[in-house]
Amino acid sequence: MARVIRVLLVDDDALVRAGLSMMLDGAAGITVVGEAADGQEAITATDAHAPDVVLMDLRMPRVDGITATRQLRARARPPEVIVLTTFDTDENVLHALRAGAAGFLLKDTPPPRIVEAVTRVAAGDPILSPRITRRLMERTVAQAGAYERARAALAALTPREHEVVLAIARGQTNADIAAGLAMGITTVKAHVSSILTKLGMDNRTQIAILAHDAGLT
């Protein structure tokens, strides 16, 4: 039997949590194991329920979603985090991705897309909408020296690893990369692992952001 994906919902709006819970519990292979109303409760709920994926709001009382994401991703066996946001009002999405989130969704995302996102993230594929990611990055003021730091970091990679970085930055899955670069999925995973180790990162989203900072996308 396929493993059931355990999901934790974190949002200060009880109606949002209720809607997400109803939708996800009705999806095959997914179960909602807990809910939290803020980032502090998210930490406690993660300890209690060991979720595979956390759907995380950003703006919440006490501990916000960015701080909670950073704390969760710093763990030895961290859950994957998908940020929920309203694009037009929330300028902190990129910060959440840098904190370790595997991707983000808009709160008006159609239910099938949310289910797909949970499934993909649980399987190790980030959720990066090229259109929204590009807009967010364009709206974010680049930090001083980011370009130079990114180029220096990428200089440690092999030519093949550079190709994998570019593919990740385009939002491609492991299967897409394997087909495009004529290699096995196991080889792709090995390259991704090597890249993460060399760059001192813990997920593919951070690789994509580094590629952007280096001017590769």
Side-chain angles (χ1 to χ4, degrees):
M1 295 180 63
R3 181 176 66 90
V4 174
I5 301 168
R6 299 167 60 83
V7 177
L8 173 67
L9 306 177
V10 185
D11 197 297
D12 61 342
D13 188 330
L15 289 177
V16 171
R17 297 198 308 272
L20 289 170
S21 181
M22 183 180 301
M23 175 187 63
L24 292 173
D25 270 335
I30 298 175
T31 184
V32 175
V33 296
E35 299 182 11
D38 60 47
Q40 184 59 54
E41 290 186 10
I43 303 300
T44 303
T46 297
D47 290 335
H49 302 294
D52 301 304
V53 178
V54 177
L55 288 181
M56 180 82 72
D57 188 18
L58 288 186
R59 294 184 173 178
M60 297 179 291
R62 296 202 300 174
V63 176
D64 62 58
I66 294 173
T67 301
T69 296
R70 185 177 297 109
Q71 292 178 4
L72 289 176
R73 292 299 300 169
R75 295 181 169 209
R77 298 181 62 183
E80 298 293 346
V81 178
I82 299 174
V83 167
L84 294 170
T85 185
T86 50
F87 174 76
D88 291 333
T89 60
D90 204 317
E91 299 294 327
N92 294 320
V93 174
L94 189 54
H95 295 294
L97 297 180
R98 291 186 186 278
F104 62 88
L105 296 172
L106 303 182
K107 286 191 175 180
D108 60 356
T109 298
R113 173 64 174 157
I114 295 178
V115 171
E116 177 194 1
V118 169
T119 303
R120 280 188 54 184
V121 164
D125 287 329
I127 300 301
L128 289 173
S129 166
R131 177 181 63 84
I132 298 178
T133 299
R134 189 176 304 112
R135 287 176 63 186
L136 282 169
M137 290 176 172
E138 289 171 352
R139 287 163 62 100
T140 302
V141 178
Q143 296 179 355
Y147 174 82
E148 290 77 9
R149 290 194 298 273
R151 300 292 289 195
L154 292 173
L157 305 182
T158 67
R160 197 60 159 169
E161 288 170 345
H162 270 275
E163 292 179 324
V164 174
V165 166
L166 284 173
I168 290 173
R170 297 187 187 111
Q172 295 182 3
T173 65
N174 286 342
D176 295 332
I177 297 172
L181 297 181
M183 63 174 72
I185 291 181
T186 300
T187 303
V188 173
K189 290 180 178 179
H191 280 307
V192 173
S193 179
S194 175
I195 291 166
L196 290 171
T197 299
K198 289 181 178 180
L199 298 179
M201 295 178 172
D202 65 6
N203 66 48
R204 296 158 63 110
T205 303
Q206 292 170 327
I207 294 175
I209 293 172
L210 186 72
H212 167 76
D213 288 346
L216 302 183
T217 60

